[in-house]
Amino acid sequence: MATNTQTSSPSIEVVILAAGKGTRMRSKLPKVLHPLAGKPLLQHVLDTASELNPKGLHVVVGHQAERVQETIGSSVNWAEQLEQLGTGHAVQQAMPGVDDDSVVLVLYGDVPMVSLNTLERCVASAAAGHLGLVTADFDDPAQLGRIIRNGAGAIQEIVEFKDANPEQVAIKEINSGIMALNGGVLTRLLSQVKTDNAQGEYYLTDVIALAVANNIEVQGLKAERPEEVTGVNDRLQLAELERVYQMDRAKELMQVGVTLADPSRIDVRGSVEAGQDCFIDANVIFVGDVVLGSGVQIASGCVITDSVLGDNVQVHANTLVEGAQVAAECSLGPFARIRPGSDLATGVKIGNFVELKKSKLGAGSKASHLTYIGDATIGADCNIGAGTVTCNYDGINKHQTQIGDRVFVGTNSTLVAPVEINQDAFVAAGSTITSNVPDETLAVGRGKQRNIPGWVRPDRRKTKS
Ligand code: UD1
Ligand code: CA
């Protein structure tokens, strides 16, 4: 009897292997927690895999399992591999939590740069009833598993380097380890894997020959480039991948119209969205989510973290900006520190050795030199003189400073919060302001100068030899 069958793609279960020790990192930190572009290697894999909308994300942990679990959090299913008996054994630990009708995609916590496109091709192959296997051609295949094809070009098996004969060692096509297969079939084939090999381990790679023996076609899927399947085993490889990752980010920025003084000297540890005609000088670091308008200029040595910079903002050398909203045409630095909660309206100027924290400055206001502004709300077109300090902290609590429009604060003033200085007021240089200043008022809060005529300078003391 004919049934009305609907074809829908099977659900996806992702299994990520992360139980290994990572001995060659020579580190107390588990290998998969070492950061690439500021984010743990394993998190990169999880983020890419999440884009497949999998039914389950399973991570196999062993070495320092607790530390890995604490860092990554509860968004995944953990499977523990108590003894590292091989990659086949590792996958087996996750299989009880996996739906047999799904496609299982095997990934590695130390292979961070795999692309979504490659994963999609691999999953599609398994959804069509094949075993999808991601391979790559390496000039120097080193100790990686070799792909063995027959005369017709069909993949027959994977031979591990340690088990390979010289002819097989010469093969340049390698196993990335990334594969996808129906869950039920994978469970069945894994149960047939033995340990009769050079390392005495349960090799996941033996599943390939077993699939062929069971008339399952193994589809080799070439990685888009070798880097996406390159694993991290030591700090040199980590540094090399970091550079590849950063060059990708640099290219993306240049493609949207950003000029980079040197594409090899920019670091993006998060995301940067940028308008056209920005200029970024050498050695600038972006952290978290950064948005740049058009025409933004950032000089050397700046670190911009989780901030929005409007059109034509200029950030001069060695300036730190974090958690700030900076409107168009502002100028920051050199050597300024803009801390979280800073909100600058159009055309604000923050000069050298100025620190801002949780403060709002209105359009056109200036603090050009050597100033600390914390927990303050400052109106438009104010001038905050050199050496001005908001005394916002009494040792226990933080207090607010309110400054109206067009206020002039003279050099070396201390504004003891809570305090209000109302619009068009003028604070004389060197004042300590402890009470509110009304509109259009001059406030002088300093000791009177005394001049003492005829005063005699002390002589220099005679020093003993
Ligand atoms: C494996 C492949 C090899 C492939 C290479 C790609 C096997 C037998 N070989 O070799 O064909 O070219 O990856 O990098 O699969 N792991 C566990 N539990 C274990 C063993 C390993 O979780 O018991 C994890 C490791 O943490 C690591 C990954 O699996 O993330 C790969 O293990 P590794 O020992 O590095 O395999 P290779 O010998 O490199
Ligand atoms: Ca490896």
Side-chain angles (χ1 to χ4, degrees):
M1 224 170 49
T3 50
N4 196 0
T5 53
Q6 276 193 324
T7 52
S8 65
S9 47
S11 58
I12 301 167
E13 302 259 25
V14 176
V15 175
I16 302 173
L17 304 193
K21 192 158 182 218
T23 312
R24 281 173 285 167
M25 294 300 285
R26 299 192 186 282
S27 176
K28 290 200 176 89
L29 187 68
K31 177 167 75 174
V32 294
L33 296 186
H34 276 259
L36 177 87
K39 182 165 90 175
L41 294 171
L42 175 56
Q43 193 64 54
H44 282 269
V45 183
L46 286 166
D47 289 350
T48 308
S50 296
E51 292 191 56
L52 295 166
N53 295 315
K55 184 175 176 198
L57 265 176
H58 311 268
V59 182
V60 182
V61 284
H63 184 73
Q64 289 200 61
E66 272 177 29
R67 183 136 184 215
V68 177
Q69 288 165 323
E70 272 166 26
T71 307
I72 300 299
S74 57
S75 53
V76 303
N77 305 325
W78 301 101
E80 242 188 295
Q81 187 192 26
L82 297 174
E83 266 187 291
Q84 277 75 68
L85 303 178
T87 48
H89 180 257
V91 173
Q92 253 175 342
Q93 307 313 303
M95 295 311 285
V98 163
D99 174 5
D100 273 359
D101 296 327
S102 65
V103 161
V104 176
L105 172 67
V106 180
L107 302 176
Y108 299 82
D110 56 359
V111 181
M113 285 187 57
V114 68
S115 74
L116 181 61
N117 180 265
T118 295
L119 299 187
E120 283 171 343
R121 285 189 294 145
C122 194
V123 165
S125 170
H130 312 300
L131 189 162
L133 177 69
V134 178
T135 76
D137 296 315
F138 276 35
D139 293 335
D140 174 17
Q143 310 229 333
L144 294 166
R146 306 301 204 261
I147 305 290
I148 312 297
R149 292 177 182 264
N150 67 12
I155 294 178
Q156 298 299 293
E157 62 173 326
I158 296 171
V159 175
E160 288 304 294
F161 174 79
K162 285 178 180 150
D163 301 293
N165 63 38
E167 204 179 309
Q168 291 166 332
V169 166
I171 294 170
K172 303 268 190 217
E173 189 183 11
I174 60 89
N175 169 36
S176 74
I178 295 168
M179 65 177 77
L181 181 62
N182 167 272
V185 176
L186 179 58
T187 301
R188 186 154 52 81
L189 298 185
L190 280 172
S191 71
Q192 297 167 38
V193 169
K194 298 190 178 62
T195 57
D196 51 348
N197 53 57
Q199 302 183 78
E201 287 182 0
Y202 295 96
Y203 286 171
L204 174 62
T205 46
D206 283 359
V207 162
I208 307 305
L210 289 166
V212 172
N214 283 269
N215 294 317
I216 297 165
E217 186 191 332
V218 176
Q219 281 192 335
L221 306 157
K222 281 270 156 70
E224 290 165 41
R225 53 178 184 167
E227 289 85 353
E228 72 159 315
V229 296
T230 299
V232 172
N233 294 305
D234 57 33
R235 294 186 199 239
L236 175 63
Q237 289 170 336
L238 179 61
E240 285 169 351
L241 271 197
E242 178 81 29
R243 286 305 107 207
V244 173
Y245 182 96
Q246 294 302 346
M247 189 53 77
D248 286 354
R249 302 290 82 77
K251 283 177 184 164
E252 285 168 3
L253 286 170
M254 291 187 286
Q255 273 157 7
V256 299
V258 174
T259 295
L260 301 179
D262 182 351
S264 70
R265 285 186 292 164
I266 172 174
D267 287 76
V268 179
R269 300 175 189 158
S271 72
V272 177
E273 207 181 288
Q276 290 188 358
D277 296 313
C278 293
F279 174 80
I280 298 169
D281 212 329
N283 299 327
V284 172
I285 300 177
F286 295 99
V287 183
D289 296 322
V290 173
V291 178
L292 307 178
S294 56
V296 173
Q297 303 210 6
I298 304 178
S300 179
C302 293
V303 181
I304 315 290
T305 305
D306 291 320
S307 292
V308 178
L309 309 188
D311 294 348
N312 306 316
V313 165
Q314 296 204 17
V315 187
H316 300 282
N318 301 303
T319 292
L320 312 179
V321 182
E322 180 177 0
Q325 295 279 333
V326 180
E329 318 290 338
C330 286
S331 169
L332 312 177
F335 297 100
R337 182 172 181 212
I338 317 295
R339 292 169 54 196
S342 298
D343 184 346
L344 312 185
T346 310
V348 164
K349 180 168 186 272
I350 302 297
N352 44 213
F353 308 109
V354 173
E355 176 180 352
L356 296 188
K357 189 215 81 172
K358 270 198 198 158
S359 291
K360 233 177 145 149
L361 275 81
S365 285
K366 295 188 173 95
S368 298
H369 335 263
L370 300 153
T371 287
Y372 171 65
I373 298 172
D375 301 306
T377 303
I378 296 174
D381 296 317
C382 291
N383 187 81
I384 310 296
T388 298
V389 172
T390 56
C391 308
N392 60 326
Y393 185 48
D394 59 14
I396 307 276
N397 296 304
K398 302 278 168 68
H399 301 282
Q400 297 289 321
T401 299
Q402 305 276 350
I403 297 179
D405 294 340
R406 297 172 302 280
V407 167
F408 185 99
V409 178
T411 301
N412 207 31
S413 294
T414 49
L415 312 178
V416 182
V419 72
E420 271 178 38
I421 302 172
N422 287 286
Q423 62 181 46
D424 299 297
F426 194 108
V427 173
S431 290
T432 296
I433 299 297
T434 54
S435 55
N436 295 350
V437 181
D439 291 8
E440 301 184 23
T441 301
L442 169 66
V444 187
R446 62 185 181 213
K448 255 195 171 157
Q449 182 172 335
R450 275 196 305 155
N451 289 345
I452 302 173
W455 177 73
V456 181
R457 283 193 188 208
D459 277 344
R460 183 179 288 278
R461 269 200 199 132
K462 299 228 164 57
T463 50
K464 289 178 213 156
S465 57

